[in-house]
Each structure stands twice: as C-alpha cells, then as structure tokens.
Amino acid sequence: MKRIKRREFIRYFGKSAIGSALSYNFFKENISFAQSSSITSSPYIIIVHCDGGWDPTLVFDNKIASNYVETQPGIQAISGPGKLEYIDHPDRPLTKYFFQNHGLKTAIVNGLYCGSFSHSEALIKSSGSFLTTTNRFADWLTFYGSQAGGSYPVPHISIDAHSIPGTLGEASARITSETIEKARVNITNNSTIFSSKNDGALSDYLDEKYKVLLDNRITQSLDSEKLQALQSSYVFTQTINKSIIETSFDNSKSQFENNIALAVNFLEKGYSKCATVQAGVNKQWDTHSNNDQIQSENYEMLFSALSNLIENTQSNSSTSLLKDNLTIIVKSELGRSPIYQTNSPQGKGHWPFTSALLWGKGINGGKVFGKTDDFLRGVPINPIFGTTEAADTNPLEISNIFAGLFELFEIPHSSFLTDDIIPASILLSK
C-alpha cells in the first residue's frame, strides 16, 4: 500500500485539514496543537513526581531540635552553597553530592500545604487540576505546554506519571513503562522497520497504518473535532515511537533514570516543551513501614538521576537545547507524619504538609523558603515578601509556586488560576 498523498487527504477531509502532514517529516513543519504559539522566553520544564508521599525531614526540613517530630538517627543539618541548608546522613552520599555540586541553583520550599491526608485529593491539588463550576482544568504542566509549546508535536509528555489533561487533551500525551517496553520489544523484533537509521521505512509503516485507519473511518460522519482528535493521535503515536527509537536505554540503570533519558530526548529533539516523570513506581514513597531505610534509598535514586540530568545537559561542553534553559520541579503529593506509627514497624503515615525542590532557570537558588513549626505544620508566609508577620498570610501551596512561574515566564493564566492564588515571587529570580 502506497503512502496517502496530499491531494487524497484534502479530498477526504477538505482544506481545513491541510495543516496536518502525513509524512514523518511533520516535525519540520509548524503544526499548532494549542491556541497560542510558543512563548520564546519560557524554559523547558521537567516535573519529577515522587508518588506516595516523601519524608521531608530526611533531606529538606530540619526538625532535629523538635521534641514533637521523630527523625532518623544519625542525621545532621549541613550548610550548603549560598544559604541552603539540607539534612545529611551517611547512608545518602549521592544526596549530599547533589547539594554540594548543584545547591547554588537549588531552592527548597518547606511547609507546603497539601490540602488533605488522602493520596488522591492531595495529588489533584499538587498537580494543579481542580474543579470549578464550569470546567475541569488541566494539570499545571499540560496548561504550561498548551501555552508555551503550541508548535510542538506533543507540548507536554507524561512518562509513567499522573496526568490530568482535562480540556487540553491535544496538548498532552501519557505513556507508561509498559508502553515503552512494548515499543522497545516491537522495535527489536522489527529492526528493519523500526531502525533509527531508517526513518523512511518507519514513516512508510506508520503512514500505511494511518491510511488503514482513514479507510476504516471514511464512511462515517466525522466532524472537525473528531478529525482533530484523529490527527493528534496519529501525531502522538509517531512522536512517541520515534523518541523511543532514539533513546538509549541502559538496563543497568533504574526505570526512573531511563524515563528521565526519554524525557530529555523529547525536549532536546523539539518534540515537547515540558515533561512529567515519576520517580519510581506507583506509591513507592508511601512508607507505612521501614520509613527511614526506604526513603533513604528512594532519595539516593532520585538525586543520582537529578545530578546526571543536570550534568549531562548543563556542562560547559554540552550542546543540549536545555542548557541554561531548563527548570526542574521535584515534588510529592504528601509528607510523612511527625512520629512513627505504633501499629507498623518504623513506618510513618500521611501528612498534609510537605516540601518541594526547585532548580534551574528562574529559580532564586541557594536558599530555603517557608518553614514548619515544631509540630511539622506549615507556617503562614507571604508569598511575595517571605514574611510571616501579616495576619492574612497562609501556608504556601504548590499553586503559589506555579502562579509565580507562569507570571515570570509570561504565561497567560488568568483563565486558569483564580485571583486568590498569589504568585510566590520570593522563590523566583529574573
């Protein structure tokens, strides 16, 4: 079956569909999947989500002197680059390495209010999706991608992570580790078709599959919205397969590290503007038993991958598109309880206050912002000035951080954020 020709496509769907290319060379064309074009001043963003609820007292939030918070034996507070303080332990050398080498561009935010003890409710709050009377909005990064990455094939890619595209489904695609592994197996078993050195064969293969899809649906009545969804699905499929082909997966590394490599490829090749990646499998940070050991191991995995990500893209010799133009946000939907659970060996429960880590472009690095009290509750703070004296202040939320980022990077957000969300400009730097 030969490739569907441009004139055939126009005959099938009319002139309104001319903008969608069927060749794999569509990456070189200006295809828009959102209302706005790319905002040139905006950086690439990677969100790393630590699903299940991490324990900030092991790394970010100094509670050593508190009589009401049980902390890991052997920890000590370390003054890092600038005014950055972090928590060190002999079991976490890779964590210490990160802060020593990358702390000057890193900001820690403590005392973030999660809104709930529940995973699902806190995850929605930390991801940015929420219900209004009229709309279900997308998560933070899908919205960012729709505004800053309108000309990218897949403005936001979510890899093995929670994602709520809401009404912005055409700006976001989600793939899982199972999807990636299946594609890699297919690539191995079909090396002639899926060869990174044989893009023409790949293009022919995918276009043939798309032609079959069109033939099967051409007898049906397809309105413009369905056509756009069909075209977007095809573009997403092409982009995902091509990016998996191009990415070198290292079986000696963790799934998270390989997923980070895939995210970097999406961004560096101009396929996506932003990515969300999960650090570990679902609920890996939900430590209702053996909290200190599991959390330590998770933090080592996390900070090892973050150091590699930064050093591979930001070194003096790097030619990465992300060099000096990358922002990283590391978060978890929950924190852990102040004391160990009595019914589980050295486990900690859910806690509605947590921390976040910010690195890179636009971040006021080398500092710690926000704090918790002796009971591990977020202290109210003014998001603009960082003061705690004003009577109308509230604990920081992740929404304050993203409102600040949107404002700093000139992302139109009046339709997405309500007026009561104050940008946390104290965390950001021009």
Side-chain angles (χ1 to χ4, degrees):
M1 185 181 295
K2 64 182 181 180
R3 181 180 303 180
I4 181 171
K5 297 184 181 298
R6 186 181 180 87
R7 70 179 64 180
E8 293 177 295
F9 184 75
I10 297 173
R11 175 165 57 85
Y12 286 159
F13 297 125
K15 295 181 179 179
S16 64
I18 292 177
S20 294
L22 295 181
S23 168
Y24 216 78
N25 292 326
F26 77 93
F27 293 110
K28 299 178 181 179
E29 299 188 17
N30 293 321
I31 302 175
S32 178
F33 297 95
Q35 295 298 317
S36 64
S37 60
S38 294
I39 299 172
T40 56
S41 63
S42 61
Y44 297 92
I45 294 182
I46 294 178
I47 284 184
V48 176
H49 178 69
C50 302
D51 191 48
W54 61 13
D55 186 348
T57 68
L58 269 68
V59 173
F60 308 114
D61 195 353
N62 183 3
K63 291 291 130 192
I64 297 174
S66 173
N67 294 321
Y68 306 98
V69 179
E70 294 180 314
T71 58
Q72 181 184 24
I75 61 174
Q76 59 178 325
I78 298 291
S79 296
K83 298 181 179 180
L84 190 73
E85 181 183 75
Y86 65 95
I87 311 303
D88 182 40
H89 189 276
D91 289 346
R92 293 191 288 276
L94 299 177
T95 301
K96 184 175 184 178
Y97 174 90
F98 173 86
F99 286 107
Q100 287 180 330
N101 290 274
H102 307 295
L104 203 57
K105 296 182 70 174
T106 297
I108 291 173
V109 187
N110 289 323
L112 286 172
Y113 178 54
C114 308
S116 175
F117 286 87
S118 162
H119 284 297
S120 57
E121 293 179 9
L123 186 57
I124 289 175
K125 193 174 187 67
S126 72
S127 298
S129 179
F130 56 93
L131 290 169
T132 69
T133 54
T134 56
N135 294 298
R136 185 180 183 89
F137 287 107
D139 55 66
W140 301 115
L141 227 52
T142 295
F143 177 76
Y144 181 85
S146 74
Q147 299 300 307
S151 61
Y152 290 72
V154 184
H156 169 235
I157 184 73
S158 175
I159 303 175
D160 226 22
H162 177 78
S163 177
I164 304 178
T167 58
L168 300 175
E170 293 177 4
S172 182
R174 182 178 183 269
I175 58 176
T176 66
S177 291
E178 290 76 16
T179 304
I180 296 168
E181 185 59 32
K182 183 177 180 180
R184 292 178 65 195
V185 170
N186 288 337
I187 291 167
T188 302
N189 294 339
N190 298 277
S191 56
T192 301
I193 294 176
F194 292 107
S195 170
S196 59
K197 299 179 181 179
N198 192 0
D199 283 347
L202 175 63
S203 179
D204 290 340
Y205 175 82
L206 290 173
D207 285 346
E208 179 178 322
K209 292 296 184 183
Y210 189 50
K211 177 62 163 61
V212 172
L213 182 60
L214 294 179
D215 288 342
N216 290 338
R217 298 192 64 172
I218 196 61
T219 58
Q220 302 177 24
S221 174
L222 299 177
D223 57 28
S224 59
E225 183 177 342
K226 292 180 180 178
L227 286 177
Q228 181 65 33
L230 179 62
Q231 294 162 24
S232 296
S233 297
Y234 176 64
V235 170
F236 285 0
T237 301
Q238 284 188 314
T239 307
I240 290 167
N241 277 282
K242 185 168 178 63
S243 192
I244 292 173
I245 291 169
E246 294 169 337
T247 302
S248 296
F249 293 88
D250 187 341
N251 291 330
S252 68
K253 294 184 177 180
S254 68
Q255 175 180 300
F256 171 54
E257 289 176 294
N258 282 321
N259 287 349
I260 282 287
L262 181 58
V264 168
N265 190 70
F266 269 102
L267 273 55
E268 285 187 332
K269 294 298 177 67
Y271 305 156
S272 301
K273 183 68 176 181
C274 51
T276 302
V277 185
Q278 181 167 281
V281 298
N282 292 339
K283 303 295 187 295
Q284 181 163 329
W285 298 76
D286 193 17
T287 47
H288 288 280
S289 63
N290 205 11
N291 178 82
D292 296 343
Q293 180 181 337
I294 296 174
Q295 291 275 336
S296 285
E297 293 170 354
N298 286 347
Y299 276 122
E300 286 290 272
M301 168 200 68
L302 170 67
F303 283 107
S304 174
L306 289 178
S307 293
N308 289 335
L309 165 62
I310 292 169
E311 289 161 12
N312 290 338
T313 59
Q314 308 297 312
S315 67
N316 292 333
S317 61
S318 174
T319 58
S320 172
L321 192 65
L322 310 184
K323 186 175 182 180
D324 302 322
N325 198 30
L326 174 65
T327 302
I328 301 172
I329 302 161
V330 190
K331 67 179 183 65
S332 186
E333 79 274 17
L334 289 165
R336 308 310 299 181
S337 59
I339 61 175
Y340 297 108
Q341 295 175 313
T342 57
N343 61 344
S344 183
Q346 294 298 301
K348 287 191 173 184
H350 303 171
W351 192 246
F353 294 95
T354 188
S355 298
L357 181 144
L358 313 174
W359 179 93
K361 184 175 180 179
I363 303 304
N364 189 5
K367 299 179 179 67
V368 177
F369 301 96
K371 61 181 181 179
T372 54
D373 62 18
D374 282 347
F375 298 92
L376 206 58
R377 299 173 301 194
V379 174
I381 183 174
N382 184 299
I384 298 176
F385 303 107
T387 56
T388 59
E389 291 80 14
D392 59 347
T393 57
N394 295 293
L396 289 174
E397 298 182 15
I398 198 77
S399 58
N400 300 117
I401 295 176
F402 278 98
L405 289 171
F406 291 161
E407 190 171 89
L408 178 64
F409 300 135
E410 301 177 351
I411 305 297
H413 55 75
S414 59
S415 63
F416 185 73
L417 297 175
T418 56
D419 293 337
D420 61 332
I421 299 177
I422 303 173
S425 52
I426 189 66
L427 312 176
L428 307 173
S429 173
K430 292 285 186 178

